[in-house]
Amino acid sequence: MGANLLADGRGFIHPVAAAFSFREIQGADHPPAFIVYLAAGSLVGLRTFFEHQVWACFLGAATVGVVGLTGRRIGGPRAGLAGAGLAAVFPTMWMPDGWVLSETMAMFAVAVVILAAYRCWDDPRRATAIWLGVALGLAALSRSELVLLGPLIAMPL
């Protein structure tokens, strides 16, 4: 519901207050990345809970792909296929998709951060560092505790 409110231009409204007390109270209960992602789906007509579930599954599938690319970078093609296969069947990876939880975005963001960190390690240019910074920003906007990834990844790099 919060994504639909955002797509309607009403901002980050607290959905429970809007549903039960009919008041528009700005809410910051959840980090904004996943709500913005769902709002993008709402803008193209995916407005029901089931449609948001399907939309979240696309992000989960993208996570599997990024895990596969990261595995390929770390250990070769077989490791990439094994990583993607494990990510596809591991319940903790796919259950948040169906429940429409922000963990779907957090897992995608962490996978992108790890891939970007390896690319920055391989090719330390300004462009790869910018992509790593964008990935870290996405991670921080998906779960607040992922702000710690920045210092933890920057120190070894």
Side-chain angles (χ1 to χ4, degrees), residues 108-128:
F108 175 75
V110 168
V112 170
V113 164
I114 293 170
L115 181 61
Y118 272 103
R119 292 222 170 138
C120 192
W121 181 270
D122 292 340
D123 187 18
R125 292 181 304 139
R126 183 177 302 194
T128 55

Side-chain angles (χ1 to χ4, degrees), residues 44-82:
V44 296
L46 305 174
R47 300 186 69 85
T48 67
F49 183 74
F50 175 71
E51 291 166 341
H52 282 169
Q53 284 178 315
V54 172
W55 189 240
C57 288
F58 282 118
L59 188 60
T63 303
V64 170
V66 174
V67 168
L69 289 173
T70 305
R72 186 176 79 180
R73 160 50 193 89
I74 294 171
R78 285 188 183 175
L81 286 174

Side-chain angles (χ1 to χ4, degrees), residues 13-140:
I13 303 295
H14 194 281
V16 176
F20 295 114
S21 67
F22 304 106
R23 295 183 310 168
E24 291 191 0
I25 302 170
Q26 295 294 322
D29 299 355
H30 306 286
F34 191 57
I35 294 173
V36 170
Y37 174 76
L38 291 176
S42 295
L43 284 174
V44 296
L46 305 174
R47 300 186 69 85
T48 67
F49 183 74
F50 175 71
E51 291 166 341
H52 282 169
Q53 284 178 315
V54 172
W55 189 240
C57 288
F58 282 118
L59 188 60
T63 303
V64 170
V66 174
V67 168
L69 289 173
T70 305
R72 186 176 79 180
R73 160 50 193 89
I74 294 171
R78 285 188 183 175
L81 286 174
L86 287 172
V89 299
F90 193 64
T92 308
M93 292 287 286
W94 55 262
M95 283 182 2
D97 302 349
W99 292 338
V100 192
L101 296 175
S102 64
E103 281 77 7
T104 301
M105 178 63 76
M107 286 185 273
F108 175 75
V110 168
V112 170
V113 164
I114 293 170
L115 181 61
Y118 272 103
R119 292 222 170 138
C120 192
W121 181 270
D122 292 340
D123 187 18
R125 292 181 304 139
R126 183 177 302 194
T128 55
I130 288 172
W131 279 111
L132 177 59
V134 168
L136 286 166
L138 175 66

